[in-house]
Amino acid sequence: MLALATAGFMAGFWAWALLGPLGPTLRDDLGLSSFQQSLVVAVPVLVGSLGRIPVGALTDHVGARRMFPLVTALTVLPVLYLGHLADSLAEFLIGGFFLGLGGTTFAIGVPFVNAWYPPERRGLALGVFGIGTGGTAISAFTTVQLADAVDRSFPFTLVAVILAVYAVTAHFLLGDQPDRAIPAGSLLARTTATMRMPTAWQLAFLYAVAFGGFVAFSVYLPTYLTNAYDLGRSDAALRTAGFIVLAVAARPAGGWLSDRLQPIPVLIGAYAALAALALLTSLELALIPIGTLTFLGMAAALGTGSGAVFALVARLVPAGQVGSVTGIVGAAGGLGGFFPPLVMGAVYSVADDYTWGYLLLALTAAATCAFTATVVRRHALRPEVRGGGA
């Protein structure tokens, strides 16, 4: 069940990230401005992030056995539309809106995996499931190469086939945990109740910094490396790929450590390391070896923190509400990745230097570390929260 869920998550994220690598190509082919290019790339990410809220709540009610095949099958439609029919800005925006469905698979898999594992193993299991975020790396590595080798529509055709095969496979093989908790009430009532939970918003903030930082670096690191260190595009892309791979690999490590040391100490350590390394990066030291080591350290900290956040979700949130909370937390993580690139770009435009951008990251990480050590720790120790009544 874990392998099937991870495969579906990875396939969904692969589809979700198809437009990003083709941004420059679409800009040239369609005559887009920089803002229009950014809009085409941003729409699926925004929809995929916000769409996790209703999809997570629906998963709590009807189960992943229905939601995984349904969402992956529906994602086939915008993938084929974008690959074979769309040829204007408006059509790419419409297709990109529905392509956001692929990004919602995260909110399906977390409650599904959570239900299949006992509490003492959920951190590692959810961390392994988180490897599915590597679908974005697959897209980054293959989309442009496949489009150049065959044609622009081929990556979309390939992903559509993979999604269709997965939808059929999941329909026959995927099974919800027989004793999973099914919440009562309407979707709106349950979503409203979840949004009133202090735990949900605390976890959302922690994930916005951890996973949002990962998303931000995945998007902006090539630009930073070319501007700050005069690297070529291919060299910067390769180094960014290394950053992504390490962050993805560190996610199950964060879950595993949380199972053994408790999530909050792991989170405190991850945010403290991120703050220290961001402060060091603000000095723009030589890329080899110090600069490279600091970036790899930040990748490990962000991946570990992302894994630990969902280990904490598994401990603090009642089983019947994991999907709803995951929707809010996952949305915060996706949206959290948009602000840092904007800030870094604005800082560089004004000062022709990135120092203040990394100082802001260091301050944010330090504040998150303090928040985790005080507010989140106290909240987690409350008897009704430890008993699953967060």
Side-chain angles (χ1 to χ4, degrees):
M1 293 300 107
L2 175 58
L4 281 170
T6 304
F9 179 28
M10 186 172 290
F13 259 45
W14 187 354
W16 191 40
L18 277 172
L19 289 180
L22 293 175
T25 302
L26 295 175
R27 179 188 61 203
D28 296 338
D29 291 350
L30 302 177
L32 305 180
S33 66
S34 295
F35 174 76
Q36 289 171 329
Q37 177 191 342
S38 300
L39 191 61
V40 168
V41 174
V43 165
V45 180
L46 288 170
V47 174
S49 297
L50 294 174
R52 293 172 188 176
I53 297 174
V55 167
L58 277 171
T59 302
D60 278 340
H61 187 67
V62 304
R65 185 191 177 280
R66 294 181 181 177
M67 292 298 292
F68 254 131
L70 176 63
V71 169
T72 48
L74 288 176
T75 306
V76 171
L77 299 177
V79 168
L80 290 176
Y81 175 78
L82 289 166
H84 295 273
L85 297 175
D87 61 2
S88 69
L89 173 61
E91 291 176 354
F92 271 97
L93 290 176
I94 293 170
F97 180 90
F98 291 101
L99 188 67
L101 276 171
T104 67
T105 51
F106 177 75
I108 302 173
V110 169
F112 174 75
V113 172
N114 186 78
W116 271 108
Y117 282 83
E120 65 274 11
R121 298 180 63 197
R122 285 175 183 162
L124 177 58
L126 291 170
V128 171
F129 171 75
I131 291 174
T133 57
T136 57
I138 296 174
S139 180
F141 285 138
T142 64
T143 302
V144 174
Q145 287 80 355
L146 291 172
D148 291 342
V150 186
D151 58 52
R152 195 180 76 183
S153 65
F154 182 74
F156 295 87
T157 303
L158 175 63
V159 172
V161 170
I162 291 171
L163 288 169
V165 170
Y166 177 80
V168 173
T169 303
H171 175 74
F172 287 105
L173 298 183
L174 208 64
D176 289 306
Q177 213 282 338
D179 299 326
R180 73 180 185 90
I182 301 176
S186 67
L187 174 64
L188 179 60
R190 286 185 285 113
T191 302
T192 302
T194 301
M195 288 186 171
R196 293 174 178 168
M197 293 170 58
T199 301
W201 293 108
Q202 291 174 12
L203 293 167
F205 173 66
L206 298 183
Y207 199 59
V209 176
F211 186 71
F214 164 75
V215 172
F217 274 111
S218 300
V219 171
Y220 199 76
L221 191 54
T223 301
Y224 169 77
L225 292 174
T226 54
N227 288 338
Y229 293 101
D230 295 321
L231 297 184
R233 286 187 178 182
S234 60
D235 192 7
L238 185 61
R239 293 175 188 272
T240 301
F243 182 99
I244 293 171
V245 169
L246 180 56
V248 170
R251 189 160 179 150
W256 179 81
L257 286 170
S258 297
D259 285 341
R260 281 146 184 80
L261 305 176
Q262 301 295 322
I264 288 178
V266 175
L267 285 167
I268 291 171
Y271 292 126
L274 178 62
L277 291 167
L279 188 61
L280 188 61
T281 304
S282 70
L283 302 176
E284 290 194 3
L285 302 173
L287 187 59
I288 299 175
I290 301 299
T292 298
L293 291 175
T294 56
F295 279 113
L296 292 178
M298 285 193 288
L302 290 167
T304 300
S306 297
V309 168
F310 274 93
L312 193 57
V313 169
R315 290 174 181 267
L316 299 186
V317 179
Q321 294 176 288
V322 169
S324 298
V325 172
T326 295
I328 293 173
V329 175
L335 296 175
F338 279 96
F339 297 104
L342 296 175
V343 172
M344 294 294 275
V347 167
Y348 188 75
S349 297
V350 172
D352 198 31
D353 183 81
Y354 287 107
T355 298
W356 281 105
Y358 282 106
L359 288 176
L360 287 172
L361 173 60
L363 287 172
T364 301
T368 309
C369 180
F371 179 77
T372 305
T374 54
V375 176
V376 177
R377 187 196 293 275
R378 285 198 300 267
H379 182 74
L381 290 175
R382 289 167 54 191
E384 67 272 22
V385 174
R386 286 183 297 169

